[in-house]
Amino acid sequence: MLLCKGEIPIEKNVIVTDIYGKRIGATYPKRAKGLVKNGRAEYASDCEKCTIRILDTHKPTVDVTEVNNMGKVIDFDPRDFKADKSCENNVIAKYFVTDKDGENVIAYSIGNWNWDWTQICCDKKLEKNTDYVFRFVIVGGYCNTCNETSRFEIVPMPDGSLTDEAYEDRYTYDLAQNRYKPVLCKKTDEGMLRLFEIPFSTFDCEDFRFVFIAMHAVATLYAPKKFSAYADLEDTNFDQLRDEINSKTSEDNSANVVMDFTGAHVTRSTVTDLLTMARFGKSENVCIDFTGAFIEDDKPDDIQADADDTGSDDIAVELMDVADN
């Protein structure tokens, strides 16, 4: 902005809050007036116009990046990022997919379910003493055991290169289990989709490195879209996700019963009892493994007692077939 001598620069001195009064940014007085005039915000107080409140009904179309400065938003671009050569066990894949809107977009998959530490990075030259917002979408990036590594880092490089001192001054954002809260958290066929907006200031530095890190979880990164593109997706969070996983696990356990008698020494009456349970039990699928098992004959009295208990000649025939095989 060009200023003449004696002019006072216009500052972003109007505080912007969400519907609950939580501060989400700051904007210029003229911009605040425009948001109120368009019905997208309201003044928090009739007598003071230093704070505006974003209306909840307009939340999908008004976000932190719009309020701050749309010209200072950096959207994640998969084409800008490459594997960090300092990492020996990078597990990455970059490919085109067709999203739910029918658009062909680039997906950047990083990490695996093992313990391979994966990093991708991108270097950018930015304006000094400027506020920016870095936006990205991540699908996945979590595991059921909650011990994954999923991080985003911003590394200022005052000397234009990555030094140990520069790395010590990095900004680190822990994405695992939403320890850094996303702006959006939605349910998709791929898994949980999270949109993050990371605000930061350049201060007296212009060279920056952006880094994504993954280990013990697969994370897929996408370029973000406007809030309205995700409006039809169902909201979710990690608590709901864990409840769904636990519920599905319980259903799977009740529907599948596995019994391992590999190499065991069992009697024919024991096999009869197991077959009876398998045929008349509540479980949908029962797997009994008799591989290498030694099945011996019962005493005559035991066989008669078992036959009386089951009351089924079919089970006895089935028993003999299994035992012979």
Side-chain angles (χ1 to χ4, degrees), residues 57-75:
T57 53
H58 296 284
K59 192 174 181 180
T61 56
V62 180
D63 55 27
V64 179
T65 61
E66 179 183 11
V67 171
N68 281 329
N69 188 339
M70 288 301 295
K72 303 305 179 185
V73 174
I74 305 173
D75 283 341

Side-chain angles (χ1 to χ4, degrees), residues 247-292:
S247 175
K248 186 177 185 303
T249 301
S250 299
E251 292 175 0
D252 291 343
N253 290 340
S254 63
N256 298 279
V257 178
V258 180
M259 297 185 181
D260 186 3
F261 285 86
T262 304
H265 191 147
V266 296
T267 62
R268 290 176 182 271
S269 61
T270 300
V271 178
T272 303
D273 293 339
L274 293 172
L275 290 175
T276 302
M277 183 199 69
R279 292 184 61 184
F280 302 109
K282 295 181 180 180
S283 296
E284 297 179 5
N285 301 305
V286 179
C287 176
I288 306 175
D289 190 354
F290 286 107
T291 304

Side-chain angles (χ1 to χ4, degrees), residues 76-79 81 92-95 97 105-111 118-121 134-141 150-152 175 190 194 196 211-214 218-224:
F76 169 78
D77 189 340
R79 294 167 297 187
F81 282 78
I92 64 172
K94 194 184 299 185
Y95 45 85
V97 297
V105 298
I106 301 177
Y108 206 143
S109 176
I110 62 173
T118 296
Q119 286 189 192
I120 61 172
C121 59
F134 192 94
R135 304 173 71 240
F136 61 91
V137 165
I138 181 171
V139 176
S150 181
R151 293 207 299 252
F152 173 66
L175 312 181
E190 292 181 84
R194 294 173 289 164
F196 288 90
V211 184
F212 286 95
I213 301 171
V218 178
T220 305
L221 298 163
Y222 295 93

Side-chain angles (χ1 to χ4, degrees), residues 44-147:
S45 174
D46 294 334
C47 58
E48 295 184 8
K49 295 186 178 181
C50 57
T51 302
I52 61 172
R53 181 189 302 115
I54 297 298
L55 298 179
D56 193 46
T57 53
H58 296 284
K59 192 174 181 180
T61 56
V62 180
D63 55 27
V64 179
T65 61
E66 179 183 11
V67 171
N68 281 329
N69 188 339
M70 288 301 295
K72 303 305 179 185
V73 174
I74 305 173
D75 283 341
F76 169 78
D77 189 340
R79 294 167 297 187
D80 293 340
F81 282 78
K82 297 181 180 179
D84 189 340
K85 294 181 179 179
S86 65
C87 257
E88 298 179 357
N89 300 318
N90 282 316
V91 181
I92 64 172
K94 194 184 299 185
Y95 45 85
F96 280 97
V97 297
T98 303
D99 63 13
K100 66 179 184 62
D101 299 322
E103 298 179 2
N104 294 327
V105 298
I106 301 177
Y108 206 143
S109 176
I110 62 173
N112 59 13
W113 300 111
N114 297 322
W115 300 98
D116 295 308
W117 186 278
T118 296
Q119 286 189 192
I120 61 172
C121 59
C122 165
D123 293 344
K124 286 185 177 293
K125 188 175 289 292
L126 307 177
E127 297 179 20
K128 293 183 178 181
N129 301 308
T130 305
D131 294 332
Y132 284 89
V133 175
F134 192 94
R135 304 173 71 240
F136 61 91
V137 165
I138 181 171
V139 176
Y142 54 86
C143 67
N144 297 344
T145 52
C146 302
N147 58 348

